[in-house]
Amino acid sequence: MSVAAGTVGRMIRYAALLRGIMPTNPNMRGEKLRGVLSGLGFDAVGSVLTSGNLVFGCTETDVPALESQIQQALRAELGIAGGTLVRSRAELQALVDAAPFGDRTHGRGSYLTVTFVKDGDPGPPSRPLPKELTSVVNVLGYDPGARAVLAVIDNTAGSTPNHMAWLETMYGKDITTRTWLTVQKVLAKL
C-alpha cells in the first residue's frame, strides 16, 4: 500500500522540490514527473516551471515518508537519482508571509535564493561564509518553519559565486535551492 493511500484524513497540499532535474532529459520533463506522482495516487498533481517543482494533494502527514516514497518511485520509474524535498502549502505560505527579503527585488544582478534543507531542523549555518564569498553572498538568515537558508547573491561580479558548495558543507547534499520568484510561483500553484 502506498503512503498516499495508507492514511485517511483531510487533504493537504504539498510541493515536491526535486534535485538534479534537467529539462533536456526526456525522463525529467513535467509530464513524466507528474505521471509518477499521479501513479502514486496523489491528487491534483501539477508542475511549476521546468526545474522539478511539483504540486500535489494527499492526506499523508508524514513528510519524510512522502519524500522517500516519491524518490523511490522517481528512481524506479524514470531513473532519477536526485533528491526530493517536500514542503506543505502552509509552510511555504508562512515563509512568503514573513517577507524575509523585505523590499529587495530579484533581478539579473541580484538573486534572492531559498535553499531548502531536507532533514529535521538543523538550524542556521554553523560556520561563517568563506572569505571568497563574503563580497557576493549575503546570508540573511534561516527560516525554521520552512527549514530554509535565505540568501542574496550578487551577480554583478565577473563570476557566479559557488555558495552551494559551502551550503553542502553545512547541510549535506540533501538540499535544493530555488529563487524567491520560483517559491512564490510554486505557492501560487498550490
Side-chain angles (χ1 to χ4, degrees):
M1 178 186 316
S2 74
V3 172
T7 306
V8 177
R10 74 176 176 88
M11 186 69 61
I12 301 169
R13 294 293 294 163
Y14 290 105
L17 308 168
L18 309 179
R19 283 180 44 94
I21 297 300
M22 295 172 286
T24 56
N25 180 331
N27 275 349
M28 296 183 181
R29 293 197 177 128
E31 63 275 3
K32 288 201 174 187
L33 298 172
R34 289 189 306 272
V36 171
L37 268 65
S38 293
L40 291 172
F42 298 142
D43 185 54
V45 176
S47 52
V48 183
L49 304 171
T50 59
S51 56
N53 306 293
L54 300 168
V55 296
F56 64 96
C58 71
T59 57
E60 179 59 57
T61 59
D62 184 344
V63 170
L66 279 173
E67 290 172 337
S68 177
Q69 180 188 20
I70 292 167
Q71 191 55 54
Q72 286 175 15
L74 289 169
R75 185 173 292 124
E77 294 179 38
L78 302 177
I80 297 173
T84 301
L85 287 85
V86 172
R87 294 297 185 271
S88 71
R89 181 185 194 294
E91 289 169 325
L92 294 180
Q93 185 68 61
L95 175 63
V96 169
D97 288 349
F101 294 102
D103 61 357
R104 294 174 182 89
T105 57
H106 180 88
R108 249 190 148 98
S110 182
Y111 274 22
L112 309 181
T113 65
V114 181
T115 300
F116 295 96
V117 179
K118 186 167 185 166
D119 294 323
D121 181 9
S126 59
R127 292 188 300 273
L129 280 166
K131 184 179 171 187
E132 65 272 11
L133 293 178
T134 57
S135 65
V136 290
V137 177
N138 179 11
V139 176
L140 299 179
Y142 176 80
D143 185 286
R147 296 172 314 285
V149 178
L150 308 155
V152 179
I153 311 300
D154 179 358
N155 285 331
T156 61
S159 63
T160 304
N162 185 4
H163 80 293
M164 290 304 295
W166 173 76
L167 285 165
E168 286 179 359
T169 66
M170 298 288 120
Y171 301 106
K173 293 197 181 282
D174 283 336
I175 61 176
T176 191
T177 298
R178 300 295 187 269
T179 68
W180 184 238
L181 294 177
T182 298
V183 170
Q184 292 172 317
K185 287 177 183 177
V186 168
L187 178 60
K189 184 98 179 208
L190 283 168

